[in-house]
Amino acid sequence: MVLLNLDTDTTLQKIEDVGKTTNVKPRDYLGMSQLGHNCERFLNYYFRHCFTEDISAQSNRIFRTGHKAEDDMIADLKAAGITVYGEQDEYSIVSDHCRGHNDGIGIGFPEEPDKPHIIEFKTSNDTAFKKLLKEGVKVSKPMHYDQMTLYAHLKDLDHAMYMVLNKNTSQYYVEQVTIDHDHAKSLIEKADRVITQETLPQKIGGMSWFECKWCPAYDICQLNKPITPSCRNCKFVSIEEQGQWKCLKTDQFLDQYEPCGEYQLDQWLLGENNE
Ligand code: SF4
Ligand code: SF4
């Protein structure tokens, strides 16, 4: 007879175990989809690989659902007579240290038929969708607004089309956005600050602030837990052109970020004088 441990030996538990990913490092570059984050201090921790994250199987399924929904949204736009092209066009700023990819470019929208628009696809739960209906993307989803603004600015376009699927009801939300190019320039300046300035910005809140409670950098920022060692936060690293990083100890470009025995944390990341 096989004895089952009902807490762990279930089909659901097995699915959850194999579907999760652990110790996930931030991307190799500052993502344009992150640039509108309300906390610039978080972006510094992110760009310097100061933390790793465990991503649950449920979160991974949410990402997967979002990717799959994009194909349906493209098909629905095409069926409505809109030409969609340039899926995954890449954008790069600040010596290739900040990058992003648009979901597509569309032309033939009834709102402005002759003008190409950056297209951004998202999925949403019902609560966030209702908020979006009430407030619009700029207020309700400022990071998405900033992402589209930047792509359109870098592509020299004046419009974007924001399309969201409600995962509960299958309802669509579609909003045309007119690009504020001055705002795009301020986002490029922000990316430049995060990448080049060695000063940790102030916290946006304390331990119980709602945005902080969900932050992957919470432990190092709010609880002073150790920063994950990486060449990216070593005092001997130098940020170079073309997205490159160089070790000043060896004078070699780095193709990986696992720290060596000479590693020392760059002290500005402790932000001790800037709480
Ligand atoms: S915990 Fe709060 S202050 Fe600290 S990095 Fe995260 S969002 Fe910013
Ligand atoms: S000294 Fe070591 S840890 Fe620091 S940047 Fe060079 S290789 Fe990386």
Side-chain angles (χ1 to χ4, degrees), residues 14-43:
K14 290 239 178 290
I15 291 170
E16 298 301 312
D17 284 347
V18 298
K20 71 184 175 198
T21 33
T22 54
N23 288 325
V24 179
K25 287 185 190 141
R27 284 192 189 130
D28 275 349
Y29 51 87
L30 181 63
M32 289 183 186
S33 58
Q34 298 259 304
L35 207 50
H37 197 290
N38 198 22
C39 182
E40 208 163 307
R41 185 180 177 105
F42 168 76
L43 293 175

Side-chain angles (χ1 to χ4, degrees), residues 37 39 41-42 45 202-205 211-212 215 217-218 221-222:
H37 197 290
C39 182
R41 185 180 177 105
F42 168 76
Y45 288 139
Q202 289 194 327
K203 297 175 187 173
I204 59 163
E211 287 169 291
C212 297
C215 176
Y218 184 90
C221 179
Q222 300 285 356

Side-chain angles (χ1 to χ4, degrees), residues 212-275:
C212 297
K213 282 200 281 188
W214 296 103
C215 176
Y218 184 90
D219 285 359
I220 54 174
C221 179
Q222 300 285 356
L223 304 179
N224 295 324
K225 294 259 178 84
I227 285 172
T228 303
S230 161
C231 288
R232 290 201 162 199
N233 51 57
C234 174
K235 69 182 277 193
F236 301 115
V237 83
S238 157
I239 298 174
E240 305 286 322
E241 297 291 312
Q242 297 177 334
Q244 303 245 47
W245 296 69
K246 189 187 244 184
C247 173
L248 297 177
K249 277 266 176 193
T250 61
D251 204 32
Q252 300 287 318
F253 287 114
L254 293 161
D255 55 11
Q256 48 78 38
Y257 302 107
E258 287 304 314
C260 75
E262 303 282 343
Y263 170 82
Q264 287 183 43
L265 176 67
D266 211 340
Q267 293 294 300
W268 68 268
L269 283 160
L270 294 175
E272 283 166 347
N273 300 320
N274 194 13
E275 293 301 295

